[in-house]
Amino acid sequence: MTIRVWDYLAEYENEREDILDAVDTVFRSGRLVFGPSVSGFEEEFAAYHGAAHSVGVDNGTNALVLALRALGIGPGDEVVTVSNTAAPTVVAIDQVGAKPVFVDVRESDYLMDVTQVEGVLTARTRCLLPVHLYGQCVDMPALQELADRHDLAVLEDCAQSHGARQHGRIAGTTGRAAAFSFYPTKVLGAYGDAGAVVTNDAEVDAGLRRLRYYGMEEQYYVVQTPGHNARLDEVHAEILRRKLRRLDGYLEARRRIAARYAEALADTDLVLPQVTPGNEHVYYLYVVRHPRRDAILHALEAHGISLNVSYRWPVHTMSGFAPLGYAKGTLPVTEALADEIFSLPMYSSLTRERQDKVIDALREVLRTV
């Protein structure tokens, strides 16, 4: 039996009756598209965030793309973000014709170094796109203050931070809009692709609803601005409604697992995750750091443990983004992390037995590599 960084099967067994009932509910409803499950999930997801609006879409990448378009970001504009992120963050910027501009991340928490942002602003900068990576928030008070001074939109990438908080404020409610992914591995995951955008801005909400439906007003079938086919479907929406009611339980379980890792590995030479003061971490990933990362991962394979690196290749080093002109060494912290970080298994249904096996194997490997 291989222990992997993520596995949904135990969770599915625990929730199987409810998940299958969700599917049956949709199939018996007579509405497979834009029915009560989508509208219900949108209302409930907005309410969870204390936000005015939530718009369901087909995946997290399109949540970013449509949000950028609804914010008026397009060709000739610049969007400031980070390279230590999943490629879709940057792909979305490229999709709307804008230019990604990178700043480095902090050594302490691997999140956007907000102190670097002002130094890369130009007359073409229109949006700041912080990524709440691994389960905790970028310094949003400082970033929003900067955005307000320069009249910039803030779009939060919350794909990895469902339920995270900063100074009591839930992730996704500081900026003008926030994009979420419900890819199966996420803290709140569907059984396939799904996404949403949360906003308190009625104009952004209206724009999103048009853009996800070809650019049409739903009742008129008249394209106002050419959009996308990016609808959240009823089945995923109904499953997400059920799982949203369990989200706080998932977060508690992840924090318990993280606490066990922290206690059991505190005396090793691994660099363990640091929770930034004011943050409530949700541990989408439990990311550790070690200069002999690759040797450790190889040795763990012999113990039946297959781990993951998020992310081995910074976006600015990928060939697809070479035209941006970021030479090696431009973002030194991001590049150093790419050689040293890896993720331990983290999901709410991870058993104590499996966690113990990971801990014991990792401690043994650290003594020998």
Side-chain angles (χ1 to χ4, degrees):
M1 177 186 66
T2 299
I3 298 176
R4 303 187 186 280
V5 76
W6 177 78
D7 192 315
Y8 74 93
L9 292 174
E11 179 185 284
Y12 177 65
E13 287 304 316
N14 291 335
E15 301 178 359
R16 182 173 180 272
E17 288 188 15
D18 195 35
I19 298 302
L20 295 182
D21 182 67
V23 175
D24 189 60
T25 295
V26 172
F27 287 177
R28 291 178 181 274
S29 72
R31 291 290 301 274
L32 299 179
V33 178
F34 280 154
S37 294
V38 167
S39 59
F41 173 69
E42 289 176 336
E43 292 170 6
E44 291 156 16
F45 196 63
Y48 184 85
H49 290 85
H53 310 285
S54 171
V55 180
V57 297
D58 56 345
N59 58 64
T61 306
N62 274 340
L64 288 164
V65 170
L66 271 61
L68 286 166
R69 288 197 61 187
L71 291 169
I73 309 303
D77 296 333
E78 292 180 353
V79 178
V80 179
T81 190
V82 293
S83 180
N84 183 39
T85 184
T89 304
V90 186
V91 168
I93 298 169
D94 181 76
Q95 284 282 299
V96 302
K99 178 184 176 181
V101 175
F102 299 118
V103 295
D104 212 346
V105 295
R106 302 191 296 196
E107 286 272 4
S108 59
D109 55 16
Y110 315 155
L111 299 173
M112 174 184 274
D113 186 344
V114 175
T115 65
Q116 296 186 19
V117 172
E118 196 155 25
V120 301
L121 300 182
T122 72
R124 294 182 298 278
T125 307
R126 294 283 308 287
C127 181
L128 309 180
L129 206 169
V131 183
H132 301 316
L133 202 68
Y134 306 144
Q136 65 174 331
C137 296
V138 171
D139 184 356
M140 290 305 296
L143 190 68
Q144 188 62 56
E145 188 275 332
L146 187 154
D148 290 342
R149 278 194 286 113
H150 292 275
D151 193 25
L152 302 172
V154 174
L155 170 59
E156 300 176 61
D157 184 337
C158 295
Q160 300 189 6
S161 60
H162 305 168
R165 292 179 181 271
Q166 185 172 75
H167 304 297
R169 186 168 191 165
I170 195 165
T173 59
T174 300
R176 196 169 168 205
F180 292 81
S181 169
F182 305 120
Y183 186 75
T185 62
K186 304 304 182 185
V187 178
L188 179 62
Y191 280 73
D193 266 322
V197 181
V198 166
T199 182
N200 285 313
D201 189 313
E203 183 179 345
V204 171
D205 173 66
L208 288 164
R209 293 183 187 280
R210 286 192 299 271
L211 288 167
R212 72 171 176 184
Y213 192 59
Y214 312 111
M216 299 176 182
E217 295 288 350
E218 293 177 16
Q219 65 270 37
Y220 293 126
Y221 293 90
V222 175
V223 172
Q224 297 185 12
T225 301
H228 306 255
N229 178 6
R231 296 167 294 205
L232 175 62
D233 72 65
E234 283 287 287
V235 171
H236 287 320
E238 186 60 33
I239 291 172
L240 287 166
R241 289 184 79 181
R242 311 294 181 95
K243 295 188 73 176
L244 179 59
R245 299 162 194 161
R246 298 188 281 270
L247 177 54
D248 288 343
Y250 299 153
L251 302 184
E252 290 174 10
R254 286 172 178 269
R255 287 174 176 137
R256 286 196 299 269
I257 293 165
R260 288 202 68 228
Y261 279 141
E263 180 180 8
L265 299 171
D267 62 343
T268 71
D269 59 347
L270 285 172
V271 178
L272 302 180
Q274 296 183 39
V275 181
T276 300
N279 276 350
E280 296 176 34
H281 206 311
V282 297
Y283 297 101
Y284 166 64
L285 297 175
Y286 192 89
V287 177
V288 299
R289 185 176 181 182
H290 197 284
R292 296 188 300 281
R293 187 266 313 279
D294 289 344
I296 293 168
L297 294 181
H298 180 73
L300 286 171
E301 290 281 354
H303 291 264
I305 298 169
S306 181
L307 302 185
N308 191 34
V309 178
S310 297
Y311 299 95
R312 190 182 290 271
W313 299 281
V315 178
H316 74 283
T317 68
M318 296 179 182
S319 59
F321 293 103
L324 294 175
Y326 285 86
K328 187 174 182 180
T330 305
L331 303 172
V333 179
T334 294
E335 292 171 24
L337 292 176
D339 292 332
E340 298 183 356
I341 58 175
F342 62 101
S343 301
L344 305 189
M346 174 57 75
Y347 46 96
S348 61
S349 57
L350 180 67
T351 64
R352 190 178 184 91
E353 178 185 12
R354 288 191 172 200
Q355 195 177 3
D356 285 342
K357 182 176 179 180
V358 171
I359 291 167
D360 292 344
L362 186 52
R363 291 183 65 86
E364 179 180 335
V365 165
L366 287 170
R367 289 194 292 268
T368 58
V369 297

